[in-house]
Amino acid sequence: GVKTVQELRQRYRELLKKYHPDNEEGSVEVTQEINAEYDRLFDVLSKENQADKESPKYDYQAENEAFKAVLNQIIHINADIEIIGSWIWVHSGYECRAVLKNAGFKFAPRKKCWCWHYGDYVRYHKKEVTLEDIRQKYGSKTVNNKSKQYAIN
C-alpha cells in the first residue's frame, strides 16, 4: 500500500527493525525477502516518478542503495532514529559514535544529533534552520529505537 518512495523507505525501516537477523524475531531469509521486495517496489515507484517528468538526471537508484546500506548499518544501535525527508537523524547516539561515523554520519553540533544524507550537501541559505522547521517542511517519521534503562534500588 505504499505510493511514494518516502512511504516505501518508512515501511522498509519498520520491517527491517522488526525482522533484522540481530533481533529475536528476525532471520537472514526474511531480511533478504524484505530487501528483494523493497528493490522491486523501488523500481516501480522510480519508473512512475520518471514517467511523471520528474528529473531523470538524479540517480535515485544510487540514493536508494545508499539509504538501505546505512539503515542496515545502524539498525541495531540503541538510539532514537528519525527520518526527515531523505535525511536520517540519530538523536542521543553518542555512545554509538564510532558506528555512526563509519556509516557516514556527521555530528550537527547546533542540532545536537547525528545526520546522514545521500550525496554532497549544498547549503542554499545562510540562515540557521531548526530541526522543527525542517520537520514541518519535509515531514518526519520518528522511530523510537532507544530502550529505556531503569535503576533498581
Side-chain angles (χ1 to χ4, degrees), residues 112-129:
K112 296 182 175 76
C113 55
W114 295 85
C115 64
W116 177 91
H117 66 282
Y118 177 74
D120 295 327
Y121 174 65
V122 178
R123 190 174 188 148
Y124 294 104
H125 46 77
K126 293 181 182 179
K127 180 183 154 200
E128 182 66 28
V129 181

Side-chain angles (χ1 to χ4, degrees), residues 34-66:
I34 292 169
N35 284 333
E37 185 65 13
Y38 178 88
D39 289 338
R40 186 188 71 73
L41 288 172
F42 183 84
D43 287 340
V44 169
L45 291 172
S46 293
K47 287 176 185 171
E48 287 176 5
N49 283 346
Q50 287 179 358
D52 291 342
K53 304 265 192 266
E54 193 170 309
S55 175
K57 296 177 187 175
Y58 189 76
D59 191 353
Y60 288 101
Q61 189 63 36
E63 181 187 16
N64 173 45
E65 293 301 321

Side-chain angles (χ1 to χ4, degrees), residues 5-147:
V5 172
Q6 285 299 76
E7 289 175 8
L8 177 63
R9 285 183 177 158
Q10 290 172 356
R11 186 68 181 134
Y12 174 77
R13 172 71 175 93
E14 293 165 4
L15 291 172
L16 194 61
K17 180 182 172 191
K18 184 174 182 179
Y19 295 110
H20 194 272
D22 292 345
N23 298 332
E24 289 180 18
E25 297 178 28
S27 71
V28 173
E29 295 81 21
V30 173
T31 302
Q32 288 173 341
E33 289 177 25
I34 292 169
N35 284 333
E37 185 65 13
Y38 178 88
D39 289 338
R40 186 188 71 73
L41 288 172
F42 183 84
D43 287 340
V44 169
L45 291 172
S46 293
K47 287 176 185 171
E48 287 176 5
N49 283 346
Q50 287 179 358
D52 291 342
K53 304 265 192 266
E54 193 170 309
S55 175
K57 296 177 187 175
Y58 189 76
D59 191 353
Y60 288 101
Q61 189 63 36
E63 181 187 16
N64 173 45
E65 293 301 321
F67 193 86
K68 283 178 24 182
V70 167
L71 284 177
N72 275 312
Q73 288 178 27
I74 66 166
I75 194 72
H76 66 282
I77 67 172
N78 187 23
D80 296 329
I81 300 169
E82 182 177 15
I83 299 171
I84 304 175
S86 60
W87 290 56
I88 302 173
W89 295 85
V90 178
H91 308 275
S92 62
Y94 180 77
E95 60 277 357
C96 306
R97 67 188 173 279
V99 172
L100 293 169
K101 285 181 183 179
N102 198 28
F105 281 78
K106 303 271 191 259
F107 188 73
R110 289 188 178 135
K111 293 176 177 63
K112 296 182 175 76
C113 55
W114 295 85
C115 64
W116 177 91
H117 66 282
Y118 177 74
D120 295 327
Y121 174 65
V122 178
R123 190 174 188 148
Y124 294 104
H125 46 77
K126 293 181 182 179
K127 180 183 154 200
E128 182 66 28
V129 181
T130 66
L131 269 179
E132 191 55 41
D133 291 341
I134 298 169
R135 285 182 189 109
Q136 287 180 2
K137 183 172 183 178
Y138 298 104
S140 91
K141 173 73 175 171
T142 302
V143 181
N144 291 328
N145 198 24
K146 186 168 185 160
S147 62

